[in-house]
Tab-separated table of all heavy atoms in Angstrom:
chain	number	residue	atom	x	y	z
A	1746	PRO	N	30.734	34.834	-7.761
A	1746	PRO	CA	29.828	35.962	-8.023
A	1746	PRO	C	28.821	35.705	-9.153
A	1746	PRO	O	27.650	36.007	-9.021
A	1746	PRO	CB	30.771	37.108	-8.379
A	1746	PRO	CG	32.078	36.719	-7.780
A	1746	PRO	CD	32.134	35.241	-7.720
A	1747	ARG	N	29.271	35.107	-10.271
A	1747	ARG	CA	28.358	34.889	-11.396
A	1747	ARG	C	27.234	33.909	-10.987
A	1747	ARG	O	26.076	34.073	-11.371
A	1747	ARG	CB	29.153	34.341	-12.586
A	1747	ARG	CG	28.324	33.897	-13.773
A	1747	ARG	CD	27.612	35.049	-14.453
A	1747	ARG	NE	26.855	34.593	-15.628
A	1747	ARG	CZ	25.825	35.224	-16.138
A	1747	ARG	NH1	25.390	36.342	-15.571
A	1747	ARG	NH2	25.216	34.773	-17.196
A	1748	VAL	N	27.627	32.893	-10.219
A	1748	VAL	CA	26.626	31.906	-9.769
A	1748	VAL	C	25.625	32.617	-8.873
A	1748	VAL	O	24.397	32.472	-9.027
A	1748	VAL	CB	27.315	30.740	-9.004
A	1748	VAL	CG1	26.266	29.773	-8.471
A	1748	VAL	CG2	28.306	30.022	-9.908
A	1749	ARG	N	26.141	33.427	-7.975
A	1749	ARG	CA	25.290	34.179	-7.044
A	1749	ARG	C	24.307	35.093	-7.802
A	1749	ARG	O	23.117	35.124	-7.508
A	1749	ARG	CB	26.192	35.027	-6.146
A	1749	ARG	CG	25.605	35.298	-4.810
A	1749	ARG	CD	26.574	36.113	-3.952
A	1749	ARG	NE	25.857	36.520	-2.763
A	1749	ARG	CZ	25.585	35.710	-1.772
A	1749	ARG	NH1	25.998	34.448	-1.810
A	1749	ARG	NH2	24.907	36.134	-0.729
A	1750	GLU	N	24.855	35.719	-8.815
A	1750	GLU	CA	24.034	36.632	-9.625
A	1750	GLU	C	22.874	35.867	-10.266
A	1750	GLU	O	21.710	36.296	-10.233
A	1750	GLU	CB	24.946	37.237	-10.711
A	1750	GLU	CG	24.266	38.195	-11.655
A	1750	GLU	CD	25.177	38.483	-12.878
A	1750	GLU	OE1	26.422	38.409	-12.755
A	1750	GLU	OE2	24.614	38.739	-13.954
A	1751	MET	N	23.193	34.665	-10.840
A	1751	MET	CA	22.138	33.908	-11.529
A	1751	MET	C	21.138	33.331	-10.523
A	1751	MET	O	19.941	33.252	-10.800
A	1751	MET	CB	22.754	32.780	-12.381
A	1751	MET	CG	23.386	33.262	-13.654
A	1751	MET	SD	22.374	34.429	-14.608
A	1751	MET	CE	21.072	33.382	-15.205
A	1752	VAL	N	21.647	32.914	-9.352
A	1752	VAL	CA	20.736	32.390	-8.321
A	1752	VAL	C	19.716	33.468	-7.986
A	1752	VAL	O	18.512	33.200	-7.913
A	1752	VAL	CB	21.522	31.960	-7.058
A	1752	VAL	CG1	20.581	31.711	-5.884
A	1752	VAL	CG2	22.354	30.718	-7.343
A	1753	GLN	N	20.217	34.693	-7.836
A	1753	GLN	CA	19.306	35.808	-7.488
A	1753	GLN	C	18.357	36.121	-8.636
A	1753	GLN	O	17.167	36.330	-8.436
A	1753	GLN	CB	20.105	37.043	-7.091
A	1753	GLN	CG	20.615	36.911	-5.668
A	1753	GLN	CD	21.734	37.896	-5.344
A	1753	GLN	OE1	22.168	38.664	-6.198
A	1753	GLN	NE2	22.199	37.867	-4.098
A	1754	GLN	N	18.891	36.068	-9.841
A	1754	GLN	CA	18.067	36.392	-11.007
A	1754	GLN	C	16.948	35.373	-11.227
A	1754	GLN	O	15.852	35.723	-11.630
A	1754	GLN	CB	18.984	36.443	-12.230
A	1754	GLN	CG	18.334	37.092	-13.425
A	1754	GLN	CD	19.354	37.205	-14.555
A	1754	GLN	OE1	20.517	37.541	-14.349
A	1754	GLN	NE2	18.934	36.887	-15.746
A	1755	LEU	N	17.263	34.100	-10.954
A	1755	LEU	CA	16.275	33.041	-11.244
A	1755	LEU	C	15.344	32.758	-10.065
A	1755	LEU	O	14.417	31.970	-10.183
A	1755	LEU	CB	16.989	31.744	-11.645
A	1755	LEU	CG	17.765	31.789	-12.966
A	1755	LEU	CD1	18.521	30.481	-13.181
A	1755	LEU	CD2	16.824	32.033	-14.136
A	1756	ARG	N	15.630	33.419	-8.941
A	1756	ARG	CA	14.837	33.131	-7.735
A	1756	ARG	C	13.360	33.443	-7.983
A	1756	ARG	O	13.014	34.450	-8.600
A	1756	ARG	CB	15.362	33.967	-6.566
A	1756	ARG	CG	14.713	33.558	-5.247
A	1756	ARG	CD	15.390	34.185	-4.083
A	1756	ARG	NE	15.542	35.630	-4.262
A	1756	ARG	CZ	16.456	36.346	-3.637
A	1756	ARG	NH1	17.319	35.770	-2.825
A	1756	ARG	NH2	16.522	37.646	-3.826
A	1757	GLU	N	12.480	32.572	-7.475
A	1757	GLU	CA	11.036	32.790	-7.639
A	1757	GLU	C	10.329	32.654	-6.300
A	1757	GLU	O	10.784	31.906	-5.431
A	1757	GLU	CB	10.444	31.734	-8.588
A	1757	GLU	CG	10.875	31.885	-10.021
A	1757	GLU	CD	10.274	30.795	-10.894
A	1757	GLU	OE1	10.635	29.616	-10.709
A	1757	GLU	OE2	9.445	31.109	-11.739
A	1758	ILE	N	9.231	33.351	-6.148
A	1758	ILE	CA	8.456	33.250	-4.906
A	1758	ILE	C	7.693	31.924	-4.862
A	1758	ILE	O	7.667	31.246	-3.856
A	1758	ILE	CB	7.430	34.421	-4.800
A	1758	ILE	CG1	8.130	35.769	-4.937
A	1758	ILE	CG2	6.624	34.321	-3.500
A	1758	ILE	CD1	9.019	36.152	-3.789
A	1759	ASN	N	7.092	31.548	-5.994
A	1759	ASN	CA	6.336	30.295	-6.063
A	1759	ASN	C	6.851	29.428	-7.208
A	1759	ASN	O	6.217	29.314	-8.248
A	1759	ASN	CB	4.837	30.571	-6.319
A	1759	ASN	CG	4.174	31.185	-5.120
A	1759	ASN	OD1	4.377	30.730	-3.996
A	1759	ASN	ND2	3.390	32.219	-5.351
Side-chain angles (χ1 to χ4, degrees):
R1747 173 66 178 156
V1748 177
R1749 208 178 171 75
E1750 179 193 332
M1751 284 313 290
V1752 167
Q1753 281 163 358
Q1754 194 175 318
L1755 294 175
R1756 188 170 50 203
E1757 291 179 293
I1758 305 291
N1759 290 315

